[in-house]
């Protein structure tokens, strides 16, 4: 799919959004916010700009470059931005994870996320035929309850690339099964997405900014189906190993790209 990840286009997009975050950080510091609050404000502003259309030029270019994988680029960049912190003086943001490097992390490539999602999907929808996935009645909730009966968790989700790709593949699989029917595929796809984030997909990360990154990717996906108000209740800030036992319902599948080089 891509011979190298991050590739040059990804790094160029990262530099653009990083410059935007630097500017927002300086703005926040200029009005007196403490360094960590300024970081949160700056990252939130970048996410808001992506969702609201203020970064429309960049998003349009990403869609042109990547077609079906443009959200993987956006999510990869957000994952890279997650690992900047204020320097010791609080005057600028610095790469504390890989000092001296242009980027902070090696995000999951589109090839890797696609492979993980396909493997998960083969288990989650095992035994369901195309006929089983067809929506032929008027009771949409009963259909979704019957077809999407699983729970999936990413215990170190970062920007949610694996969960986002899994959601896309499920939507595409159901869409293909309903191509020849009279159902409104766009409306069905949005209903599937809403059901997935409300009932099936869970993510955890120790970084308090990670839920915002994941929400941004999913809201951009929802916008493709005309929804600007997607609600996502199942993204948690926690240490998966220490905090989660007994806190969440049983899961059917775990998807994960382990966070290398992060101290425990």
């Amino acid at each position: 799919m891509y011979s190298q990840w991050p590739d040059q286009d990804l790094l160029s997009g990262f530099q653009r959004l990083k410059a935007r975050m630097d500017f927002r950080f300086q703005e926040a510091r200029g009005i007196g916010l403490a360094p960590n609050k300024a970081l949160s404000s700056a990252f939130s502003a970048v996410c808001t700009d992506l969702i609201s259309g203020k970064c429309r030029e960049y998003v349009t270019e990403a869609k042109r470059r990547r077609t079906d994988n443009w959200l993987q680029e956006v999510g990869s960049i957000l994952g890279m931005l997650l690992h900047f912190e204020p320097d010791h003086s609080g005057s600028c943001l610095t790469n504390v994870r890989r000092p001296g490097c242009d980027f902070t992390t090696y995000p999951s490539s589109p090839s890797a996320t696609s492979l993980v999602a396909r493997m998960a999907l083969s288990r989650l929808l095992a035994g369901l035929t195309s006929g089983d996935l067809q929506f032929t009645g008027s009771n949409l909730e009963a259909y979704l309850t019957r077809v999407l009966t699983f729970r999936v968790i990413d215990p170190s989700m970062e920007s949610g690339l694996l969960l986002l790709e899994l959601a896309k593949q499920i939507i595409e699989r159901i869409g293909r099964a309903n191509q020849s029917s009279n159902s409104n595929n766009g409306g069905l796809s949005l209903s599937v997405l809403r059901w997935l984030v409300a009932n099936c997909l869970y993510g955890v990360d120790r970084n308090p900014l990670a839920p915002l990154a994941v929400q941004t990717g999913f809201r951009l996906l929802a916008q493709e189906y005309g929804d600007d108000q997607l609600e996502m209740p199942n993204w948690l800030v926690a240490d998966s190993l220490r905090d989660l036992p007994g806190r969440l319902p049983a899961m059917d599948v775990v998807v994960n790209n382990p966070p290398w080089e992060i101290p425990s």
Side-chain angles (χ1 to χ4, degrees):
M1 187 175 292
Y2 301 104
S3 60
Q4 176 182 337
W5 195 263
D7 61 14
Q8 192 55 49
D9 286 331
L10 176 59
L11 292 177
S12 176
F14 161 71
Q15 289 161 0
R16 289 173 67 173
L17 294 186
K18 172 59 166 52
R20 200 176 193 96
M21 190 165 84
D22 286 335
F23 176 77
R24 295 288 195 169
F25 178 79
Q26 295 301 329
E27 271 190 334
R29 291 291 285 137
I31 62 172
L33 289 187
N36 285 336
K37 288 188 178 296
L39 169 63
S40 297
S41 176
F43 188 82
S44 177
V46 170
C47 292
T48 299
D49 288 349
L50 284 165
I51 294 169
S52 68
K54 290 183 179 179
C55 292
R56 184 175 291 108
E57 181 180 352
Y58 161 69
V59 170
T60 299
E61 291 177 8
K63 288 181 177 181
R64 176 182 53 79
R65 284 195 299 268
R66 310 289 185 190
T67 57
D68 289 341
N69 288 311
W70 70 275
L71 281 171
Q72 290 287 310
E73 176 176 320
V74 174
S76 293
I77 292 172
L78 291 176
M80 293 159 78
L81 294 178
L82 279 173
H83 298 291
F84 282 89
E85 295 181 11
D87 70 357
H88 67 278
S89 69
S91 61
C92 65
L93 297 176
T94 184
N95 180 355
V96 295
R97 192 173 185 187
R98 291 192 173 91
C101 295
D102 290 333
F103 47 90
T104 60
T105 187
Y106 293 94
S108 301
S109 70
S111 297
T113 56
S114 178
L115 175 62
V116 170
R118 289 199 308 272
M119 293 174 66
L121 199 59
S122 68
R123 178 182 177 89
L124 297 172
L125 299 184
L128 293 179
T129 67
S130 293
D132 294 326
L133 295 176
Q134 286 183 354
F135 174 58
T136 57
S138 58
N139 192 334
L140 180 59
E141 183 173 352
Y143 165 80
L144 295 172
T145 301
R146 175 175 59 82
V147 171
L148 304 177
T149 61
F150 50 80
R151 296 188 185 96
V152 181
I153 190 169
D154 185 339
S156 55
M157 63 183 176
E158 201 168 65
S159 61
L161 289 173
L162 296 175
L163 294 169
L164 186 64
E165 178 63 22
L166 179 59
K168 284 180 56 186
Q169 289 195 22
I170 292 171
I171 291 169
E172 290 166 2
R173 175 86 173 270
I174 290 176
R176 288 195 299 271
N178 287 277
Q179 274 182 336
S180 60
S181 70
N182 293 324
S183 60
N184 176 357
N185 275 357
L188 179 60
S189 295
L190 179 56
S191 295
V192 169
L193 177 58
R194 288 172 172 167
W195 184 270
L196 287 172
V197 298
N199 301 285
C200 302
L201 302 181
Y202 293 75
V204 184
D205 204 282
R206 295 192 303 184
N207 190 321
L209 298 178
L212 184 55
V214 182
Q215 288 167 12
T216 300
F218 273 88
R219 284 191 171 135
L220 287 170
L221 176 59
Q223 285 180 355
E224 298 292 287
Y225 303 112
D227 182 4
D228 284 319
Q229 304 295 328
L230 186 68
E231 295 296 329
M232 292 155 283
N234 299 322
W235 314 139
L236 306 177
V237 177
D239 184 313
S240 292
L241 297 178
R242 184 188 64 207
D243 301 331
L244 287 191
R247 186 174 171 183
L248 291 175
M251 297 292 155
D252 299 287
V253 166
V254 176
V255 295
N256 191 237
N257 180 1
W260 306 108
E261 300 180 13
I262 299 296
S264 59

